[in-house]
């Protein structure tokens, strides 16, 4: 699997760095070169493409050893001299970013990224997904949203190149309730996501489901008397949704509190048919989402981040096995819950891209 990882892909170790700037170098160090056969005359070694990287070792070593202000000075000097490549540009900016946030120097960091964009647009463009993620995090940290539409729209242009970072942005903006620029960007990106051969099929499906849900949430929020058969809603969902009219009606009714159902533990009997039980859980989870929205003023999108994980747990294989043993479905047990949470927190980046074929 590792042999098929691209140099610019997120490292599978979960560090958040690119593979070429994380475990690739460690793996190279762990490989012992075969001894040279001294009986055979050795040809002079030709210069390799690595030579340009080696020439930067001095500035990079000074950067790593330097303090915050020193690192910024080295970054700007290397940028103006034109000696940065995309690897070093990304690594320097990513090292400076958390320190700038800690100091509250959001505007200064934005200017450092702007310098890269202005001085070396090719380097900026190669990792625009990461740079915009940094800037989006800074905007949210400041409680601002003015620049979000422009920053998020960049992902719509080439979603297949930055799909994993795009998903991080999607969940970040969902949690903080910034759905308007997100819906606009995802809607524009959808044709390219749908036809991409580089995104895993289930990644395409996840994208479609999230966009469909965001559009339904937005409709219910904005409409006084929402109805599933509203032509406006049907037209909005038509390019994306494969949801049946019956399911759409159920969801709209539960989200808008039209259902008014009182749930009981008996609605989730152990002996219940599995499909029926899953349907009940699905509708209960949307009532939970509705309660968060209308009683606690929590945006639908933020509640959805929690709802989807709760439902995944209740339907996960380990939990269902315990249900079959006679344990009520709504009462989590420690072992399967610990297992589910462990898998959730251990989720690796780079899961939405098709595996690259070796050349």
């Amino acid at each position: 699997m590792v042999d098929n990882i691209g140099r610019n892909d997120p490292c599978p170790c979960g560090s958040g760095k690119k593979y070429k700037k994380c475990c690739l170098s460690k793996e190279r160090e762990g490989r012992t070169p075969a001894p040279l056969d001294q009986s055979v005359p050795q040809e002079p070694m030709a210069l390799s493409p690595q030579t340009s990287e080696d020439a930067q070792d001095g500035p990079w070593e000074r950067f790593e050893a330097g303090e915050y202000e020193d690192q910024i000075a080295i970054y700007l000097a290397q940028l103006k001299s034109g000696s940065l490549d995309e690897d070093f540009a990304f690594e320097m900016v990513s090292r400076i970013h958390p320190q700038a946030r800690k100091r509250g120097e959001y505007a200064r960091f934005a200017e450092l990224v702007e310098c890269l964009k202005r001085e070396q647009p090719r380097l900026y463009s190669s990792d625009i997904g990461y740079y915009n993620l940094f800037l989006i995090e800074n905007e949210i940290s400041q409680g601002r949203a003015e620049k979000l539409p422009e920053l998020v729209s960049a992902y719509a242009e080439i979603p297949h190149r930055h799909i994993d970072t795009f998903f991080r942005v999607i969940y970040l903006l969902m949690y903080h309730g910034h759905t308007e620029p997100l819906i606009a960007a995802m809607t524009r990106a959808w044709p390219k996501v749908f036809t991409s051969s580089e995104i895993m099929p289930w990644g395409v499906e996840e994208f479609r489901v999230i966009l469909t849900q965001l559009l339904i949430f937005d409709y219910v929020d904005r409409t006084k008397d929402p109805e599933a058969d509203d032509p406006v809603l049907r037209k909005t969902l038509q390019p994306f949704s494969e949801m049946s009219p019956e399911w759409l009606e159920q969801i709209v009714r539960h989200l808008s509190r039209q259902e008014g159902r009182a749930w009981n533990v008996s609605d989730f009997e152990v002996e219940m048919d599995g499909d029926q039980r899953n349907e009940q859980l699905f509708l209960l989870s949307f009532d939970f989402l509705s309660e968060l929205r209308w009683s606690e003023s929590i945006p639908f999108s933020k509640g959805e981040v929690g709802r989807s994980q709760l439902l995944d747990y209740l339907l996960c294989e380990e939990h269902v096995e315990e249900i079959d043993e006679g344990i009520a479905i709504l009462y989590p047990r420690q072992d399967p819950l610990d297992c589910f949470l462990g898998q959730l927190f251990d989720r690796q980046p780079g899961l939405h891209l098709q595996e690259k074929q070796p050349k």
Side-chain angles (χ1 to χ4, degrees), residues 68-207:
Y68 174 65
E69 293 294 340
D70 299 325
Q71 291 183 337
I72 291 177
I74 293 170
Y75 162 74
L76 290 174
Q78 292 294 300
L79 184 58
K80 289 185 178 181
S81 70
S83 56
L84 279 182
D85 63 13
E86 65 179 52
D87 295 354
F88 280 89
F90 169 76
E91 195 65 27
M92 286 182 175
V93 172
S94 66
R95 297 285 185 92
I96 292 171
H97 176 236
Q99 300 180 71
R101 286 189 67 182
K102 185 176 180 180
R103 291 167 169 80
E105 295 185 351
Y106 302 110
R108 187 181 187 189
F109 177 80
E111 179 56 30
L112 294 176
V113 176
E114 184 60 32
C115 285
L116 178 63
K117 181 179 180 180
R118 183 173 59 250
E119 301 288 337
Q120 298 288 342
R122 183 185 61 81
L123 301 186
Y124 169 79
S125 178
S126 68
D127 284 311
I128 188 174
Y130 290 100
Y131 297 133
N132 279 21
L133 173 60
F134 296 154
L135 297 173
I136 288 169
E137 290 174 343
N138 287 359
E139 286 292 295
I140 291 175
S141 295
Q142 297 174 85
R144 297 169 54 179
E146 298 87 349
K147 297 180 181 178
L148 291 181
E150 178 183 357
L151 292 170
V152 180
S153 67
Y155 296 94
E157 301 301 324
I158 42 176
H160 57 286
R161 277 183 49 196
H162 305 287
I163 190 63
D164 289 297
T165 314
F166 196 2
F167 269 106
R168 289 174 63 182
V169 169
I170 287 169
Y171 284 109
L172 181 64
L173 295 186
M174 284 177 64
Y175 183 82
H176 290 279
H178 296 295
T179 56
E180 188 172 342
L182 183 56
I183 290 174
M186 293 183 72
T187 301
R188 285 178 52 210
W190 171 246
K192 296 175 183 177
V193 171
F194 182 67
T195 57
S196 175
S197 61
E198 299 178 48
I199 303 175
M200 296 289 284
W202 66 264
V204 175
E205 176 65 9
E206 182 180 352
F207 192 97

Side-chain angles (χ1 to χ4, degrees), residues 8-35:
N8 289 317
D9 291 341
C11 188
C13 77
S15 66
K17 299 180 181 180
K18 290 185 176 184
Y19 177 54
K20 62 192 175 187
K21 279 299 179 182
C22 192
C23 289
L24 177 60
S25 59
K26 298 174 186 175
E27 290 168 7
R28 283 175 173 168
E29 291 171 3
R31 298 173 187 166
T32 304

Side-chain angles (χ1 to χ4, degrees), residues 248-259:
L248 180 59
E249 182 176 6
Q250 290 265 42
I251 291 174
V252 170
R253 288 182 62 83
H254 281 266
L255 288 178
S256 58
R257 284 187 162 178
Q258 298 176 39
E259 192 66 24

